[in-house]
Amino acid sequence: MTEQWILGKEFRFEAAHKLPCHDGKRARLHGHSWRGVVYVSAIALNKSGSKTGMAIDYSDIKKYIKPLVDDYLYHY
Ligand SMILES: [Zn+2]
């Protein structure tokens, strides 16, 4: 049997959208607070170094996700 670890890291951002076909106020540009979750799957844990026993360091997930959120989602 193969073991598997799945970690989730939540992030939040503010962004706007509009629903042009909506028959009410939502046809106008308006903002929301959004919540995203990134899942990482691993079939092995680190076996040496400062991350021994970890599938991935949460700070590394943040390091990869933050530029994407900042450049493509936050206030877009
Ligand atoms: Zn909306």
Side-chain angles (χ1 to χ4, degrees):
M1 180 173 137
T2 303
E3 293 180 296
Q4 182 181 25
W5 290 267
I6 300 173
L7 295 102
K9 171 81 173 143
E10 181 179 302
F11 59 96
R12 294 176 183 270
F13 59 96
E14 311 299 322
H17 76 149
K18 62 182 176 181
L19 302 171
C21 296
H22 191 267
D23 61 355
K25 294 187 286 186
R26 286 166 183 75
R28 297 188 303 230
L29 185 65
H30 62 280
H32 291 284
S33 297
W34 302 81
R35 172 184 167 266
V37 182
V38 172
Y39 291 99
V40 176
S41 171
I43 58 171
L45 301 177
N46 284 299
K47 293 184 173 145
S48 64
S50 63
K51 298 178 182 179
T52 298
M54 301 171 92
I56 189 169
D57 190 325
Y58 275 108
S59 65
D60 288 337
I61 298 174
K62 183 177 179 180
K63 182 173 66 183
Y64 295 118
I65 296 303
K66 188 174 185 333
L68 297 174
V69 172
D70 289 349
D71 294 345
Y72 296 103
L73 297 173
Y74 191 74
H75 282 177
Y76 277 89

